[in-house]
Amino acid sequence: MRSVSRRSLLRGGALGVAAATVAGCAAGRPEPSHPPAAEPPDPEIMLIRQLIAGKERTIALYSSAGSDRLLPFRQRHEAHLTELRRRLPRETVSASPSPSSSPSGTSTAKPGEPVSVRSLRDLERESAALRPRQLDGVSPALAQLIASIGACEAAHALALSRPL
């Protein structure tokens, strides 16, 4: 058996300690802190928010029209709104979409002005025409809801083109 000198033992021990220290420092070193990447918004949630904003505007227009004959139309839009809101996750229900983010139909009526049946009919046509383009890439359940809403809007447009 070969004897190990005290000097060799100390040198070997010092190298081992140094290697362990370097390895320990590297392993214990925290990663550079980067802010967590913001998760991109869910496209379906964004679409639902847009649809909700559009329904809210449509309901407001029907309300300002001031005709009891239009009440069933407004009530159907309110039912659509309820169903759309039900599909939002709880934490996003209170978040409101920006007013300009909703391509759900347009209207030239200003708040407080009476709305004509003709402008409501045009709004219903525009909204119904937009729905097929909103179906791409959404879940089957949401696609079915959007298609149903579009069918109802198309029926409204047809009904509003006749005398009430």
Side-chain angles (χ1 to χ4, degrees):
M1 179 159 200
R2 189 172 154 199
S3 72
V4 180
S5 72
R6 195 173 105 194
R7 203 173 275 173
S8 297
L9 186 60
L10 288 174
R11 194 175 331 148
L15 288 175
V17 169
T21 302
V22 169
C25 286
R29 185 178 303 153
E31 291 289 320
S33 62
H34 297 290
E39 198 168 309
D42 181 352
E44 273 197 20
I45 299 299
M46 291 176 54
L47 176 59
I48 292 170
R49 286 181 181 165
Q50 290 174 347
L51 292 165
I52 287 171
K55 285 296 170 184
E56 289 171 342
R57 282 193 302 277
T58 300
I59 291 166
L61 290 171
Y62 271 99
S63 296
S64 68
S67 172
D68 290 339
R69 294 177 296 174
L70 297 173
L71 182 60
F73 295 89
R74 187 183 83 208
Q75 289 172 333
R76 284 187 283 275
H77 286 290
E78 289 169 344
H80 300 160
L81 181 60
T82 299
E83 184 59 27
L84 288 165
R85 284 182 175 152
R86 191 180 71 76
R87 292 175 184 266
L88 281 180
R90 279 217 185 278
E91 64 274 2
T92 64
V93 170
S94 62
S96 61
S98 64
S100 62
S101 68
S102 176
S104 179
T106 59
S107 172
T108 57
K110 293 180 177 44
E113 282 185 16
V115 178
S116 70
V117 171
R118 181 179 184 173
S119 66
L120 290 170
R121 181 193 67 218
D122 293 344
L123 173 63
E124 297 281 10
R125 280 185 185 154
E126 291 170 9
S127 296
L130 180 62
R131 301 301 173 227
R133 292 188 300 257
Q134 294 172 326
L135 300 176
D136 190 34
V138 300
S139 68
L142 183 58
Q144 183 178 13
L145 176 61
I146 293 170
S148 296
I149 289 171
C152 186
E153 291 163 338
H156 285 184
L158 182 62
L160 292 171
S161 65
R162 300 179 180 144
L164 294 177

